[in-house]
Amino acid sequence: MNPELVLPILIPLTAGALSLAFWRSVRLQRMLAVIATGLLLGSGVWLMRSTIEQGFLVAEMGSWPAPFSIVLVSDMLGAIMIVLTGIIGLAIAIYSLASTPRGHEKFGYYPLMHLLLAGVAGAFLTGDIFNLFVWFEVMLLASFALLTLGGERAQMEGAIKYVTLNLFSSAIFLSAVGLLYGMVGTLNMADIAQKLNSVEDPGMVTVVSLMFMMSFGIKAAAFPLFFWLPASYHTPQVAVSALFAGLLTKVGVYALYRVFTLIFTQDVAYTHTILLWAAALTMLTGVLGAAAQFEFRRILSFHIVSQIGYMLLGLALFTPLALIGGVFYIMHHIIVKTNLFLVSGITYRLLGSYELKDLGGVYRQRPYLALLFLIPALSLAGIPPLSGFFAKFIVVRASLEASEYAITAIALLVGLLTLYSMIKIWAEVFWKKVPEHVADVSRLNGEVKDKHNWAYYVPVVGLAMCTLIIGLYGQPIYVLAETAASQLMNPQLYIEAVLGGQSK
Amino acid sequence: METMMAYVIGVLFAASIYMMLRRSLVKLVIGLIILSNAANLLIFVVSGLTRGAPPLIPDGANEVVGAMADPLPQALILTAIVIAFSVLAFAVVLIRRAYEVVGTDDLDKMKDTDT
């Protein structure tokens, strides 16, 4: 039994329970939030190290042998995602110290954050398809409550779309799990993968795989099921937006990666072609939607959609290089996107608006903040030597090698349009003068009085450093992505690790 | 029995989607409730219905003898019911709050956040 495999789930769950116990003391909850997410990051790094050393980590709950018990499995992809969960959790916890309104903190912001992280970590580590559903629901319920904290009109409207679509996708997921169980009589993902080859009716398997694709596609905001995301992600307070933007949609992407490399590899020509076109259209619609927007967080929300397209592209091409690119893209994007939302929160703090027409002049007053925006923004657009360049480069190169020239052209065009909307933000928010109708200009000149001001900048600087490190010292991280991709390409390794019957 | 259940589940799915396509918030939630029940029934029935054969080990024996009902779908539906119940409780509170804040039951009037 490896303790590091259970800790990423246990730490946030315990922290969530403790935060509930200290309901009255906001100060204790704040301390607990930073400590627990720090521990989560630590356990993630530990898990990563053991995973590098041992290949696969498997823990069988209750010491029942594998197909009968619920298993936790960590392969390289899972370990990478857990480390990222830790990084984002810590950044959001620190940022929340300054940015969360008092009212939200009193109404359970921190316990919900911990439970969300527990759900995310559980989804990344579980090796049981029904448990994946359960962790999804843990995560979703926490996210529903976080999204509606505050209870403003826009939040209510956004939440209704978000909740409805996600419940719908959960119902599809549950039905698909049921049909899958009816076919193979097991819920262990490795066991399903093994037994699915001997099912009499391969057409039925494809139908179920498409149900999974649709359900996870809704959660990951892929075309044509993405419309709930730009309608809801810009409504809650900014730390919550950043957490959702970084982690939540990526859980859907992770589930797609897991299911479509491990379980449904029977009819690759059919399923992955659908994925390929979904990826292309996701990229295009996302970036065109962003180009039409003039609100800081809405632009960023639409960009989540377009970037999801790149990750799906990596999965859809289904070559080793493409999967490396996809994994690399996920790593880079989680960090960059969270960071951009956090920067938007700082400009909101300075000027009191997210509308581009009400913003301006930040470069004059806060040149370093402008630089901090520029690093993730250019990285998102794929400018070398930042992390996004390598991610895009690998994906594009993989699509060229697979002779998918139309998709390559779309990917490059989308990169260009991403640059356009990042420049739009840059010009409107940082470059142009402060608009005259903004009454609050004095706030920019006078120092904003806030004793927690450092808490805004520490996570932003930290995440920008991560972006730079991935960009400048990309080799070790590329090796990690390469290992993850080679494990994904050989599902036999996963099956043997889980069902091999090694006693721990 | 299974055939009849298949029809029942199909009708439930159809009814839930019809309800969710209406403009009223209340009907949306009713649709969600029916939808989750349809999915629950589906996972319950999918591995076949066995009547009067509980998976119990008789006194003195080491394993179940003869036919038995598959116990796993029952565990699954139990979990799924609990989850669906909590999520729907949240949804009901959400529409009540949304009705208070927005002041309308009409989804068409809730498009401020759309683009």
Side-chain angles (χ1 to χ4, degrees):
Chain A
M1 187 83 169
N2 311 67
E4 65 267 37
L5 197 50
V6 190
L7 280 179
I9 302 172
L10 269 188
I11 290 170
L13 270 183
T14 321
L18 282 177
S19 301
L20 281 175
F22 300 130
W23 182 263
R24 280 155 187 277
S25 167
V26 172
R27 178 184 291 196
L28 264 176
Q29 289 187 28
R30 289 161 151 244
M31 270 170 50
L32 199 63
V34 176
I35 295 171
T37 46
L39 284 176
L40 177 62
L41 177 57
S43 71
V45 173
W46 184 16
L47 178 69
M48 170 81 92
R49 278 196 48 175
S50 324
T51 312
I52 292 172
E53 278 163 18
Q54 302 175 26
F56 287 87
L57 298 182
V58 182
E60 291 157 347
M61 297 296 107
S63 298
W64 284 74
F68 305 109
S69 67
I70 289 166
V71 288
L72 293 180
V73 189
S74 156
D75 63 347
M76 195 45 100
L77 180 62
I80 290 171
M81 299 305 280
I82 291 288
V83 172
L84 288 169
T85 310
I87 293 175
I88 299 303
L90 185 59
I92 297 294
I94 296 175
Y95 196 85
S96 307
L97 296 182
S99 74
T100 314
R102 291 295 277 181
H104 293 199
E105 287 184 321
K106 283 202 177 122
F107 278 94
Y109 171 76
Y110 290 113
L112 286 170
M113 188 190 79
H114 289 303
L115 292 179
L116 180 76
L117 289 175
V120 170
F124 289 151
L125 286 180
T126 184
D128 184 282
I129 195 97
F130 190 75
N131 258 53
L132 186 64
F133 168 75
V134 174
W135 287 120
F136 262 106
E137 295 299 308
V138 170
M139 178 186 93
L140 283 178
L141 204 49
S143 75
F144 294 163
L146 276 177
L147 190 70
T148 48
L149 263 185
E152 287 158 25
R153 183 189 165 121
Q155 283 182 304
M156 289 300 139
E157 293 186 7
I160 284 176
K161 287 153 200 164
Y162 180 80
V163 169
T164 310
L165 255 291
N166 274 298
L167 289 190
F168 185 64
S169 97
S170 295
I172 301 174
F173 186 10
L174 191 58
S175 313
V177 169
L179 292 175
L180 200 56
Y181 178 74
M183 279 190 290
V184 292
T186 173
L187 291 167
N188 184 300
M189 290 205 266
D191 207 20
I192 294 174
Q194 200 180 29
K195 288 189 179 150
L196 217 48
N197 291 324
S198 52
V199 169
E200 301 143 30
D201 188 0
M204 192 62 197
V205 177
T206 311
V207 169
V208 172
S209 79
L210 288 182
M211 285 175 79
F212 274 104
M213 192 191 290
M214 202 170 137
S215 156
F216 294 148
I218 292 177
K219 288 186 202 298
F223 181 87
L225 312 156
F226 62 85
F227 46 85
W228 55 271
L229 192 150
S232 62
Y233 269 28
H234 63 95
T235 58
Q237 58 125 341
V238 67
V240 176
S241 289
L243 185 59
F244 285 13
L247 277 181
L248 230 50
T249 42
K250 256 54 87 195
V251 182
V253 177
Y254 166 83
L256 278 174
Y257 265 71
R258 178 62 75 217
V259 167
F260 279 93
T261 56
L262 177 65
I263 301 179
F264 298 113
T265 47
Q266 291 80 17
D267 200 356
V268 173
Y270 185 70
T271 52
H272 286 64
T273 309
I274 295 179
L275 268 178
L276 191 65
W277 286 103
L281 291 168
T282 310
M283 284 193 277
L284 261 184
T285 45
V287 84
L288 291 177
Q293 294 299 315
F294 287 93
E295 206 254 27
F296 205 146
R297 286 198 289 174
R298 274 194 202 190
I299 298 179
L300 296 180
S301 299
F302 269 106
H303 271 298
I304 303 174
V305 177
S306 79
Q307 310 288 315
I308 294 286
Y310 281 101
M311 299 169 207
L312 292 185
L313 181 57
L315 173 64
L317 292 170
F318 207 54
T319 60
L321 188 67
L323 279 177
I324 295 173
V327 174
F328 204 97
Y329 213 105
I330 294 175
M331 284 197 263
H332 132 79
H333 180 257
I334 289 181
I335 289 170
V336 163
K337 195 45 125 194
T338 311
N339 204 1
L340 283 171
F341 270 89
L342 295 183
V343 172
S344 82
I346 298 180
T347 59
Y348 178 77
R349 172 102 192 122
L350 292 172
L351 286 158
S353 175
Y354 288 112
E355 294 291 335
L356 292 188
K357 66 175 169 28
D358 298 336
L359 291 164
V362 178
Y363 180 71
R364 255 208 126 104
Q365 305 290 338
R366 298 271 192 289
Y368 292 110
L369 178 62
L371 185 69
L372 283 175
F373 168 77
L374 218 50
I375 292 174
L378 291 181
S379 177
L380 191 74
I383 303 291
L386 297 161
S387 58
F389 169 71
F390 296 105
K392 274 206 177 78
F393 177 73
I394 302 169
V395 174
V396 166
R397 168 138 191 214
S399 59
L400 275 180
E401 280 181 8
S403 311
E404 297 283 355
Y405 298 113
I407 304 282
T408 316
I410 291 175
L412 290 173
L413 176 73
V414 169
L416 212 61
L417 287 170
T418 311
L419 187 61
Y420 159 71
S421 42
M422 285 301 130
I423 289 175
K424 184 166 83 181
I425 297 180
W426 168 257
E428 293 280 323
V429 178
F430 296 93
W431 205 243
K432 81 168 187 229
K433 281 186 185 156
V434 186
E436 285 176 0
H437 67 272
V438 177
D440 231 5
V441 188
S442 56
R443 290 182 77 175
L444 250 189
N445 302 323
E447 195 55 43
V448 179
K449 286 196 183 64
D450 190 349
K451 60 178 177 178
H452 290 303
N453 233 344
W454 60 270
Y456 278 108
Y457 289 98
V458 169
V460 174
V461 173
L463 291 177
M465 292 291 288
C466 288
T467 310
L468 281 177
I469 290 170
I470 296 180
L472 297 176
Y473 301 98
Q475 185 60 29
I477 293 162
Y478 179 83
V479 173
L480 289 184
E482 198 176 19
T483 321
S486 73
Q487 287 176 352
L488 289 177
M489 283 306 282
N490 299 305
Q492 208 53 42
L493 294 174
Y494 186 99
I495 295 171
E496 271 165 25
V498 175
L499 298 179
Q502 69 277 60
S503 52
K504 295 225 168 55
Chain B
M1 187 67 182
E2 270 113 348
T3 323
M4 201 190 83
M5 284 306 285
Y7 282 116
V8 169
I9 293 165
V11 169
L12 279 179
F13 267 112
S16 74
I17 287 171
Y18 175 74
M19 286 302 254
M20 288 170 74
L21 291 175
R22 308 295 297 267
R23 275 165 47 179
S24 156
L25 264 184
V26 179
K27 285 175 183 158
L28 174 70
V29 168
I30 295 175
L32 283 175
I33 294 172
I34 301 177
L35 181 72
S36 69
N37 281 318
N40 286 348
L41 270 182
L42 176 71
I43 59 168
F44 182 58
V45 175
V46 82
S47 67
L49 293 171
T50 317
R51 232 182 147 156
L56 296 175
I57 302 168
D59 236 356
N62 276 330
E63 52 190 31
V64 187
V65 263
M68 64 156 184
D70 189 350
L72 196 61
Q74 305 186 12
L76 297 187
I77 192 176
L78 185 59
T79 317
I81 286 173
V82 173
I83 291 174
F85 185 72
S86 62
V87 173
L88 288 171
F90 180 87
V92 170
V93 175
L94 176 70
I95 64 149
R96 178 174 155 65
R97 187 85 183 111
Y99 179 70
E100 271 179 19
V101 175
V102 185
T104 175
D105 183 40
D106 191 344
L107 278 170
D108 270 8
K109 300 214 172 83
M110 294 199 178
K111 49 189 181 190
D112 284 3
T113 62
D114 280 342
T115 42

